[in-house]
């Protein structure tokens, strides 16, 4: 037991490197997606052509993977900042991810409709739409439970574990949907040469591996106890007040 604080301090020494690793991996995923769609599929436009479709993967990787992963990490990264400010940053990053994702979804639907391609027929599209809908619900519920001052502390305490669990679950769903989308795009684009290790196929596979690595590292940082945000005086006061109201019940903890 006496070694626990020392172990936590040693663990925090490596924390900036892990966080830096998530940013390198996340940015690499965004850049590789941009290069893939730009170099191999003609770039970007908003005219109903294949170039409009290219907006879709770039926006989804940027929004529902990179920015979403960063939103999950803010409680770990800004561990000594005011919890209220961290909550606002958490919500803003989710909002940016939502807006960018909406642009990506509109792009692919507009492309399909313009070219008379059926919508929502693949497993990739089903998983993607489910993830997006759950993301919207999660953001709205988080806004209602944690940013509005009128929410009862008991309700926050009840919902917090669900919010944390579904946050990580939806990141996993986003990554799984991206992997399905990468495979689908490669089979549509290079079906006859994919098995010959052509550059586009290797690039797509590398993107998939980097996405998995990003998700694993974010999950590790969020679930490892040594990296948990320490209680601050303002949070301790809320905890005492909450326990008084509930006659000794547990208080909500930081994600």
């Amino acid at each position: 037991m006496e070694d626990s604080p020392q172990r936590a301090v040693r663990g925090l020494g490596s924390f900036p490197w892990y966080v830096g690793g998530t940013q390198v991996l996340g940015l690499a995923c965004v850049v590789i997606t941009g290069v893939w769609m730009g170099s191999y599929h003609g770039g970007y436009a908003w005219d109903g052509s294949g170039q409009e479709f290219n907006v879709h993967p770039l926006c989804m990787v940027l929004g529902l993977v990179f920015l979403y992963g960063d939103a999950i990490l803010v409680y770990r990264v800004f561990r000594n900042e005011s919890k209220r400010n961290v909550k606002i940053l958490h919500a803003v990053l989710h909002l940016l991810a939502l807006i960018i994702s909406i642009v990506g979804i509109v792009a692919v639907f507009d492309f399909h409709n313009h070219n008379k391609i059926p919508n929502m027929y693949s497993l990739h599209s089903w998983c993607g739409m489910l993830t997006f809908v759950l993301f919207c619900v999660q953001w709205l519920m988080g806004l209602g439970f944690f940013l509005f001052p009128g929410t009862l502390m008991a309700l926050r305490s009840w919902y917090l574990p669900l919010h944390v669990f579904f946050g990580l679950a939806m990141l996993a769903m986003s990554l799984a949907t991206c992997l399905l989308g990468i495979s689908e795009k490669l089979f549509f684009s290079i079906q006859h040469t994919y098995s010959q290790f052509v550059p586009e196929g290797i690039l797509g596979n590398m993107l998939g591996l980097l996405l998995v690595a990003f998700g694993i590292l974010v999950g590790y940082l969020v679930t490892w106890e040594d990296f948990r945000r320490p209680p601050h005086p303002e949070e301790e006061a809320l905890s005492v007040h909450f326990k008084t109201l509930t006659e000794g019940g547990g208080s909500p903890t930081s994600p």
Side-chain angles (χ1 to χ4, degrees), residues 153-246:
M153 203 59 108
L155 289 177
R156 292 183 181 180
S157 178
W158 166 80
Y159 178 64
L160 180 60
L162 295 175
H163 187 73
V164 173
F165 169 78
F166 281 108
L168 282 174
M170 280 184 287
L171 178 61
M173 291 173 64
S174 295
L175 292 168
T177 303
C178 286
L179 296 181
L180 288 171
I182 290 169
S183 295
E184 188 175 290
K185 180 63 177 176
L186 288 174
F187 278 115
F188 277 139
S189 302
I190 55 170
Q191 180 178 3
H192 300 295
T193 58
Y194 192 10
S195 62
Q196 300 171 19
F197 294 93
V198 294
E200 183 177 355
I202 294 173
L203 185 68
N205 290 345
M206 288 299 300
L207 173 60
L209 291 178
L210 290 173
L211 287 167
V212 171
F214 175 79
I216 290 173
L217 195 51
V218 170
Y220 172 70
L221 290 172
V222 172
T223 57
W224 194 249
E225 192 66 27
D226 291 349
F227 300 147
R228 182 176 290 277
R229 175 184 169 89
H232 288 208
E234 64 181 58
E235 298 163 24
E236 291 287 352
L238 286 173
S239 297
V240 171
H241 179 61
F242 180 80
K243 289 180 180 179
T244 302
L245 291 175
T246 57

Side-chain angles (χ1 to χ4, degrees), residues 38-88:
S39 297
Y40 289 94
H41 296 282
Y44 305 90
W46 199 274
D47 55 4
S49 68
Q51 292 173 315
E52 182 174 355
F53 172 86
N54 295 342
V55 175
H56 171 70
L58 181 61
C59 285
M60 305 319 284
V61 171
L62 175 59
L64 282 187
V65 176
F66 182 50
L67 288 178
Y68 184 35
D70 277 359
I72 292 174
L73 287 176
V74 293
Y75 283 100
R76 297 293 190 267
V77 174
F78 301 102
R79 49 192 295 111
N80 296 315
E81 299 296 326
S82 165
K83 191 171 183 181
R84 179 178 179 274
N85 293 337
V86 178
K87 281 182 180 180
I88 293 173

